[in-house]
Amino acid sequence: MKAATSVFAGLGAYTPEKVLTNADFEKLLETSDTWIRERTGISERHIARRDETTAMMAAEASKAALKEAGFGPEDLDTIICATATPDRLLPSTACDLQALLGATNAKAFDIQAACSGWIYGLVMGDSLIQSGASERVLVLGAEKLTSIMDWTDRTTAVLFGDGAGAAVLTKSDGTRGIVSSYLKSDGTLAELLWRPAGGTVCPPNEQGQLEGRGYYIKMAGREVFKNAVRSMADAASKALDKAGITSEQVDLLVPHQANLRIIEATANHANIPMDRVYVNVDRYGNTSSASIPIALDEARRAGRLKPGMTVLLVTFGAGFTWGSMVVKW
Ligand SMILES: CC(C)(COP(=O)(O)OP(=O)(O)OC[C@H]1O[C@@H](n2cnc3c(N)ncnc32)[C@H](O)[C@@H]1OP(=O)(O)O)[C@@H](O)C(=O)NCCC(=O)NCCS
């Protein structure tokens, strides 16, 4: 295996207290617990309070990651926040987070790669460390997806949840950390999973209101499903090849948690049995960029992720974007 470049000095996650079950959705929409569980594997998801912002959730995850790393907020020189649900379009959620944390010595910026955002952010952070531009990088995946969900659309509303996950990256001595990564996108398929309004193409009107339902997530589920399976299989093999290892050497696969059937298909293509795959989509739904760090943090607490393990991360999201990473934990 190749030498590692940046190490995870700390990891943290946060999910809101309120839980919405499939039974709750049965009261809101024409759907059923059985349909949702059979098609997606989701049983419940965490929902942010109305006054709880993406940056506030990100701050909670960041504090846990900083504590583990043994750093104060002022020790950070870089904050990268991956989010598809920023608190405002201007300025970045990373700057809001910087202010909430008091990370006075950091440069802060957002990246947008939808559900793949955290892996994209890790690759950016790792590159900054390798180039010498940064030494201590906080990478967030943070989302308040319920703020852009169409609660009248049963084909999307039941899928998503809110939450945040954070990692502090520092330079590795080569033995632990990020070993390889792979990123890819295909912008020609953007309209299969998107939020059409709110930007320059369809800006708010003079009263600051958005017309119609274009503000909400729209998705062609079946097409997204097929692309997700194909792309995640591709990504898994690319990161393994770049690391110089085979799937037999992977101790734990932690995929983006969008749908249990997508996870099973990805594991199957990668030739990794399900007892070496971490799944928590049943309890959180799809938290987009936050899903992998929330899963990693939980896997650690559950004793499924231990130092020395070889971990494969694989993701897919709107754009389309996809990617993967091999980490020596
Ligand atoms: C969304 C998804 C679960 C739908 O499952 P599916 O098996 O493809 O189902 P379809 O979209 O073909 O719909 C089948 C039927 O179920 C209905 N249906 C859709 N959502 C439903 C719901 N929540 N409850 C009950 N019925 C529902 C549809 O209206 C359709 O009814 P019809 O046959 O009468 O038209 C699935 O396509 C999927 O998971 N796609 C990927 C989504 C994803 O993970 N996106 C994020 C990627 S990062």
Side-chain angles (χ1 to χ4, degrees), residues 178-200:
I178 298 172
V179 176
S180 71
S181 61
Y182 171 76
L183 301 179
K184 187 78 170 47
S185 2
D186 182 353
T188 65
L189 301 173
E191 294 179 18
L192 293 177
L193 175 52
W194 66 337
R195 182 184 163 196
T200 58

PDB file of all heavy atoms in Angstrom, residues 178-200:
ATOM      1  N   ILE A 178      -4.913   9.344   4.712  1.00  0.00           N
ATOM      2  CA  ILE A 178      -5.404   9.229   3.330  1.00  0.00           C
ATOM      3  C   ILE A 178      -4.335   8.607   2.438  1.00  0.00           C
ATOM      4  O   ILE A 178      -3.226   9.147   2.310  1.00  0.00           O
ATOM      5  CB  ILE A 178      -5.811  10.618   2.796  1.00  0.00           C
ATOM      6  CG1 ILE A 178      -6.970  11.186   3.639  1.00  0.00           C
ATOM      7  CG2 ILE A 178      -6.194  10.535   1.314  1.00  0.00           C
ATOM      8  CD1 ILE A 178      -7.321  12.631   3.330  1.00  0.00           C
ATOM      9  N   VAL A 179      -4.678   7.476   1.826  1.00  0.00           N
ATOM     10  CA  VAL A 179      -3.718   6.749   0.990  1.00  0.00           C
ATOM     11  C   VAL A 179      -3.968   7.044  -0.493  1.00  0.00           C
ATOM     12  O   VAL A 179      -3.022   7.205  -1.268  1.00  0.00           O
ATOM     13  CB  VAL A 179      -3.818   5.224   1.264  1.00  0.00           C
ATOM     14  CG1 VAL A 179      -2.900   4.442   0.334  1.00  0.00           C
ATOM     15  CG2 VAL A 179      -3.492   4.924   2.723  1.00  0.00           C
ATOM     16  N   SER A 180      -5.228   7.088  -0.886  1.00  0.00           N
ATOM     17  CA  SER A 180      -5.539   7.393  -2.291  1.00  0.00           C
ATOM     18  C   SER A 180      -6.929   7.998  -2.375  1.00  0.00           C
ATOM     19  O   SER A 180      -7.738   7.851  -1.446  1.00  0.00           O
ATOM     20  CB  SER A 180      -5.499   6.121  -3.146  1.00  0.00           C
ATOM     21  OG  SER A 180      -6.608   5.294  -2.830  1.00  0.00           O
ATOM     22  N   SER A 181      -7.190   8.665  -3.503  1.00  0.00           N
ATOM     23  CA  SER A 181      -8.534   9.220  -3.699  1.00  0.00           C
ATOM     24  C   SER A 181      -8.816   9.330  -5.191  1.00  0.00           C
ATOM     25  O   SER A 181      -7.897   9.310  -6.019  1.00  0.00           O
ATOM     26  CB  SER A 181      -8.661  10.593  -3.040  1.00  0.00           C
ATOM     27  OG  SER A 181      -7.739  11.491  -3.609  1.00  0.00           O
ATOM     28  N   TYR A 182     -10.106   9.485  -5.495  1.00  0.00           N
ATOM     29  CA  TYR A 182     -10.547   9.595  -6.886  1.00  0.00           C
ATOM     30  C   TYR A 182     -11.796  10.466  -6.912  1.00  0.00           C
ATOM     31  O   TYR A 182     -12.708  10.255  -6.100  1.00  0.00           O
ATOM     32  CB  TYR A 182     -10.849   8.190  -7.437  1.00  0.00           C
ATOM     33  CG  TYR A 182     -11.512   8.187  -8.787  1.00  0.00           C
ATOM     34  CD1 TYR A 182     -10.783   8.459  -9.940  1.00  0.00           C
ATOM     35  CD2 TYR A 182     -12.873   7.886  -8.909  1.00  0.00           C
ATOM     36  CE1 TYR A 182     -11.402   8.454 -11.186  1.00  0.00           C
ATOM     37  CE2 TYR A 182     -13.487   7.875 -10.149  1.00  0.00           C
ATOM     38  CZ  TYR A 182     -12.753   8.168 -11.279  1.00  0.00           C
ATOM     39  OH  TYR A 182     -13.366   8.157 -12.504  1.00  0.00           O
ATOM     40  N   LEU A 183     -11.825  11.450  -7.781  1.00  0.00           N
ATOM     41  CA  LEU A 183     -12.995  12.318  -7.922  1.00  0.00           C
ATOM     42  C   LEU A 183     -13.412  12.401  -9.381  1.00  0.00           C
ATOM     43  O   LEU A 183     -12.545  12.445 -10.264  1.00  0.00           O
ATOM     44  CB  LEU A 183     -12.692  13.747  -7.444  1.00  0.00           C
ATOM     45  CG  LEU A 183     -12.245  13.958  -6.003  1.00  0.00           C
ATOM     46  CD1 LEU A 183     -11.967  15.439  -5.750  1.00  0.00           C
ATOM     47  CD2 LEU A 183     -13.287  13.441  -5.022  1.00  0.00           C
ATOM     48  N   LYS A 184     -14.725  12.490  -9.620  1.00  0.00           N
ATOM     49  CA  LYS A 184     -15.195  12.595 -11.003  1.00  0.00           C
ATOM     50  C   LYS A 184     -16.568  13.274 -11.007  1.00  0.00           C
ATOM     51  O   LYS A 184     -17.302  13.186 -10.033  1.00  0.00           O
ATOM     52  CB  LYS A 184     -15.294  11.184 -11.606  1.00  0.00           C
ATOM     53  CG  LYS A 184     -15.597  11.124 -13.076  1.00  0.00           C
ATOM     54  CD  LYS A 184     -14.356  11.425 -13.907  1.00  0.00           C
ATOM     55  CE  LYS A 184     -14.540  11.136 -15.388  1.00  0.00           C
ATOM     56  NZ  LYS A 184     -15.743  11.634 -16.002  1.00  0.00           N
ATOM     57  N   SER A 185     -16.904  13.924 -12.113  1.00  0.00           N
ATOM     58  CA  SER A 185     -18.249  14.494 -12.268  1.00  0.00           C
ATOM     59  C   SER A 185     -18.728  14.388 -13.706  1.00  0.00           C
ATOM     60  O   SER A 185     -17.921  14.184 -14.620  1.00  0.00           O
ATOM     61  CB  SER A 185     -18.321  15.968 -11.854  1.00  0.00           C
ATOM     62  OG  SER A 185     -17.120  16.490 -11.452  1.00  0.00           O
ATOM     63  N   ASP A 186     -20.057  14.547 -13.871  1.00  0.00           N
ATOM     64  CA  ASP A 186     -20.652  14.596 -15.211  1.00  0.00           C
ATOM     65  C   ASP A 186     -21.798  15.598 -15.189  1.00  0.00           C
ATOM     66  O   ASP A 186     -22.919  15.276 -14.789  1.00  0.00           O
ATOM     67  CB  ASP A 186     -21.155  13.210 -15.617  1.00  0.00           C
ATOM     68  CG  ASP A 186     -21.743  13.229 -17.030  1.00  0.00           C
ATOM     69  OD1 ASP A 186     -21.868  14.330 -17.615  1.00  0.00           O
ATOM     70  OD2 ASP A 186     -22.082  12.145 -17.545  1.00  0.00           O
ATOM     71  N   GLY A 187     -21.495  16.838 -15.600  1.00  0.00           N
ATOM     72  CA  GLY A 187     -22.474  17.926 -15.539  1.00  0.00           C
ATOM     73  C   GLY A 187     -23.585  17.824 -16.566  1.00  0.00           C
ATOM     74  O   GLY A 187     -24.572  18.561 -16.475  1.00  0.00           O
ATOM     75  N   THR A 188     -23.468  16.903 -17.529  1.00  0.00           N
ATOM     76  CA  THR A 188     -24.534  16.789 -18.542  1.00  0.00           C
ATOM     77  C   THR A 188     -25.805  16.174 -17.942  1.00  0.00           C
ATOM     78  O   THR A 188     -26.864  16.229 -18.552  1.00  0.00           O
ATOM     79  CB  THR A 188     -24.090  15.931 -19.744  1.00  0.00           C
ATOM     80  OG1 THR A 188     -23.863  14.589 -19.295  1.00  0.00           O
ATOM     81  CG2 THR A 188     -22.829  16.497 -20.383  1.00  0.00           C
ATOM     82  N   LEU A 189     -25.685  15.576 -16.761  1.00  0.00           N
ATOM     83  CA  LEU A 189     -26.832  14.887 -16.160  1.00  0.00           C
ATOM     84  C   LEU A 189     -27.433  15.665 -14.989  1.00  0.00           C
ATOM     85  O   LEU A 189     -28.173  15.116 -14.172  1.00  0.00           O
ATOM     86  CB  LEU A 189     -26.399  13.478 -15.707  1.00  0.00           C
ATOM     87  CG  LEU A 189     -25.857  12.590 -16.839  1.00  0.00           C
ATOM     88  CD1 LEU A 189     -25.296  11.283 -16.287  1.00  0.00           C
ATOM     89  CD2 LEU A 189     -26.945  12.291 -17.865  1.00  0.00           C
ATOM     90  N   ALA A 190     -27.105  16.961 -14.923  1.00  0.00           N
ATOM     91  CA  ALA A 190     -27.498  17.781 -13.767  1.00  0.00           C
ATOM     92  C   ALA A 190     -28.995  17.740 -13.476  1.00  0.00           C
ATOM     93  O   ALA A 190     -29.418  17.719 -12.320  1.00  0.00           O
ATOM     94  CB  ALA A 190     -27.056  19.228 -13.994  1.00  0.00           C
ATOM     95  N   GLU A 191     -29.816  17.722 -14.521  1.00  0.00           N
ATOM     96  CA  GLU A 191     -31.262  17.859 -14.316  1.00  0.00           C
ATOM     97  C   GLU A 191     -31.940  16.607 -13.758  1.00  0.00           C
ATOM     98  O   GLU A 191     -33.136  16.603 -13.501  1.00  0.00           O
ATOM     99  CB  GLU A 191     -31.931  18.294 -15.621  1.00  0.00           C
ATOM    100  CG  GLU A 191     -31.491  19.687 -15.995  1.00  0.00           C
ATOM    101  CD  GLU A 191     -32.082  20.198 -17.299  1.00  0.00           C
ATOM    102  OE1 GLU A 191     -33.094  19.634 -17.758  1.00  0.00           O
ATOM    103  OE2 GLU A 191     -31.521  21.161 -17.844  1.00  0.00           O
ATOM    104  N   LEU A 192     -31.180  15.547 -13.571  1.00  0.00           N
ATOM    105  CA  LEU A 192     -31.768  14.339 -12.975  1.00  0.00           C
ATOM    106  C   LEU A 192     -31.897  14.462 -11.454  1.00  0.00           C
ATOM    107  O   LEU A 192     -32.633  13.725 -10.819  1.00  0.00           O
ATOM    108  CB  LEU A 192     -30.918  13.105 -13.322  1.00  0.00           C
ATOM    109  CG  LEU A 192     -30.901  12.719 -14.804  1.00  0.00           C
ATOM    110  CD1 LEU A 192     -29.984  11.528 -15.034  1.00  0.00           C
ATOM    111  CD2 LEU A 192     -32.308  12.408 -15.310  1.00  0.00           C
ATOM    112  N   LEU A 193     -31.119  15.380 -10.874  1.00  0.00           N
ATOM    113  CA  LEU A 193     -31.172  15.602  -9.421  1.00  0.00           C
ATOM    114  C   LEU A 193     -30.728  17.025  -9.171  1.00  0.00           C
ATOM    115  O   LEU A 193     -29.542  17.337  -9.258  1.00  0.00           O
ATOM    116  CB  LEU A 193     -30.242  14.583  -8.712  1.00  0.00           C
ATOM    117  CG  LEU A 193     -30.056  14.712  -7.205  1.00  0.00           C
ATOM    118  CD1 LEU A 193     -31.373  14.762  -6.461  1.00  0.00           C
ATOM    119  CD2 LEU A 193     -29.217  13.553  -6.679  1.00  0.00           C
ATOM    120  N   TRP A 194     -31.714  17.901  -8.903  1.00  0.00           N
ATOM    121  CA  TRP A 194     -31.369  19.309  -8.818  1.00  0.00           C
ATOM    122  C   TRP A 194     -32.399  20.115  -8.062  1.00  0.00           C
ATOM    123  O   TRP A 194     -33.467  19.607  -7.695  1.00  0.00           O
ATOM    124  CB  TRP A 194     -31.138  19.884 -10.222  1.00  0.00           C
ATOM    125  CG  TRP A 194     -32.359  19.940 -11.126  1.00  0.00           C
ATOM    126  CD1 TRP A 194     -33.490  19.162 -11.012  1.00  0.00           C
ATOM    127  CD2 TRP A 194     -32.569  20.808 -12.232  1.00  0.00           C
ATOM    128  NE1 TRP A 194     -34.370  19.488 -12.013  1.00  0.00           N
ATOM    129  CE2 TRP A 194     -33.839  20.501 -12.779  1.00  0.00           C
ATOM    130  CE3 TRP A 194     -31.814  21.801 -12.826  1.00  0.00           C
ATOM    131  CZ2 TRP A 194     -34.364  21.170 -13.878  1.00  0.00           C
ATOM    132  CZ3 TRP A 194     -32.341  22.467 -13.924  1.00  0.00           C
ATOM    133  CH2 TRP A 194     -33.592  22.151 -14.443  1.00  0.00           C
ATOM    134  N   ARG A 195     -32.009  21.367  -7.854  1.00  0.00           N
ATOM    135  CA  ARG A 195     -32.889  22.349  -7.210  1.00  0.00           C
ATOM    136  C   ARG A 195     -32.877  23.538  -8.160  1.00  0.00           C
ATOM    137  O   ARG A 195     -31.957  24.354  -8.131  1.00  0.00           O
ATOM    138  CB  ARG A 195     -32.263  22.696  -5.868  1.00  0.00           C
ATOM    139  CG  ARG A 195     -33.027  23.643  -5.036  1.00  0.00           C
ATOM    140  CD  ARG A 195     -32.202  23.941  -3.791  1.00  0.00           C
ATOM    141  NE  ARG A 195     -32.684  25.120  -3.139  1.00  0.00           N
ATOM    142  CZ  ARG A 195     -32.007  25.797  -2.234  1.00  0.00           C
ATOM    143  NH1 ARG A 195     -30.802  25.395  -1.885  1.00  0.00           N
ATOM    144  NH2 ARG A 195     -32.511  26.863  -1.687  1.00  0.00           N
ATOM    145  N   PRO A 196     -33.855  23.626  -9.073  1.00  0.00           N
ATOM    146  CA  PRO A 196     -33.735  24.527 -10.230  1.00  0.00           C
ATOM    147  C   PRO A 196     -33.686  26.018  -9.909  1.00  0.00           C
ATOM    148  O   PRO A 196     -33.025  26.777 -10.616  1.00  0.00           O
ATOM    149  CB  PRO A 196     -34.986  24.217 -11.054  1.00  0.00           C
ATOM    150  CG  PRO A 196     -35.531  22.941 -10.529  1.00  0.00           C
ATOM    151  CD  PRO A 196     -35.070  22.794  -9.124  1.00  0.00           C
ATOM    152  N   ALA A 197     -34.373  26.468  -8.853  1.00  0.00           N
ATOM    153  CA  ALA A 197     -34.514  27.918  -8.644  1.00  0.00           C
ATOM    154  C   ALA A 197     -33.659  28.432  -7.490  1.00  0.00           C
ATOM    155  O   ALA A 197     -33.174  27.684  -6.671  1.00  0.00           O
ATOM    156  CB  ALA A 197     -35.973  28.248  -8.379  1.00  0.00           C
ATOM    157  N   GLY A 198     -33.504  29.772  -7.482  1.00  0.00           N
ATOM    158  CA  GLY A 198     -32.816  30.414  -6.366  1.00  0.00           C
ATOM    159  C   GLY A 198     -31.477  31.018  -6.754  1.00  0.00           C
ATOM    160  O   GLY A 198     -30.948  31.868  -6.063  1.00  0.00           O
ATOM    161  N   GLY A 199     -30.943  30.590  -7.916  1.00  0.00           N
ATOM    162  CA  GLY A 199     -29.678  31.131  -8.403  1.00  0.00           C
ATOM    163  C   GLY A 199     -29.913  32.111  -9.540  1.00  0.00           C
ATOM    164  O   GLY A 199     -31.005  32.685  -9.663  1.00  0.00           O
ATOM    165  N   THR A 200     -28.925  32.292 -10.403  1.00  0.00           N
ATOM    166  CA  THR A 200     -29.024  33.313 -11.451  1.00  0.00           C
ATOM    167  C   THR A 200     -30.012  32.939 -12.560  1.00  0.00           C
ATOM    168  O   THR A 200     -30.580  33.801 -13.213  1.00  0.00           O
ATOM    169  CB  THR A 200     -27.651  33.559 -12.104  1.00  0.00           C
ATOM    170  OG1 THR A 200     -27.177  32.318 -12.638  1.00  0.00           O
ATOM    171  CG2 THR A 200     -26.655  34.111 -11.112  1.00  0.00           C
TER     172      THR A 200
END
